[in-house]
Amino acid sequence: MTKRLVYGFLCFFLVIALGLSSCAPPSKDSESPEETPTVQVEPPADSSAVGPTPTLSSQVQDAVLAAIAADQSLPPDQLTLQNARADSWPDSCLGLANPDELCAQMITPGWEIIVTDGQTTWTYRTNDLGDQIRLATQ
């Protein structure tokens, strides 16, 4: 009975250790050496927040540029990111729900990103992964 108990504890701790190690962020060595353009990133609107300033990932940046290029029928290389600001939205629709749309009521961290083609400026909102992108203003 004692061996089973010890074996059970060992298995439990092994599962916990493996679970925690899978939560670790990827190492810097795994990132591609591609150079991304520098974008001014503003701190979150809530100035009482303490901690490092969030960084706009190239994944989110590329997703926004691709969405605008598709929406506006423009080549992505004609678009320039002017500003990016980390923010939190009141729902899963990034605070931009259509009248007939239901949105999960949850705080959704993300970005407000301002892009221009030199003539027109657009403001888009995203979630933190960039898989939710919505036009906020034009």
Side-chain angles (χ1 to χ4, degrees), residues 58-138:
S58 60
Q59 174 186 347
V60 173
Q61 181 176 327
D62 293 345
V64 169
L65 292 176
I68 296 172
D71 289 349
Q72 307 301 326
S73 301
L74 294 169
D77 62 351
Q78 288 185 1
L79 300 171
T80 304
L81 270 74
Q82 285 188 327
N83 196 5
R85 178 175 61 90
D87 210 333
S88 294
W89 314 117
D91 55 43
S92 63
C93 297
L94 312 177
L96 300 169
N98 293 317
D100 61 343
E101 187 174 20
L102 294 176
C103 306
Q105 298 300 303
M106 58 189 247
I107 301 298
T108 305
W111 293 91
E112 179 177 81
I113 300 173
I114 300 173
V115 178
T116 186
D117 67 353
Q119 297 175 358
T120 307
T121 300
W122 300 274
T123 301
Y124 276 74
R125 290 182 181 178
T126 74
N127 63 351
D128 59 351
L129 298 177
D131 55 2
Q132 283 268 5
I133 302 170
R134 291 184 181 232
L135 177 63
T137 61
Q138 183 169 348

Side-chain angles (χ1 to χ4, degrees), residues 14-61:
L14 180 63
V15 168
I16 295 298
L18 287 174
L20 291 175
S21 67
S22 67
C23 296
S27 68
K28 296 281 185 190
D29 297 338
S30 65
E31 293 181 9
S32 65
E34 295 178 23
E35 196 172 306
T36 57
T38 303
V39 177
Q40 177 184 354
V41 177
E42 292 182 6
D46 178 12
S47 61
S48 65
V50 176
T53 301
T55 304
L56 179 66
S57 72
S58 60
Q59 174 186 347
V60 173
Q61 181 176 327

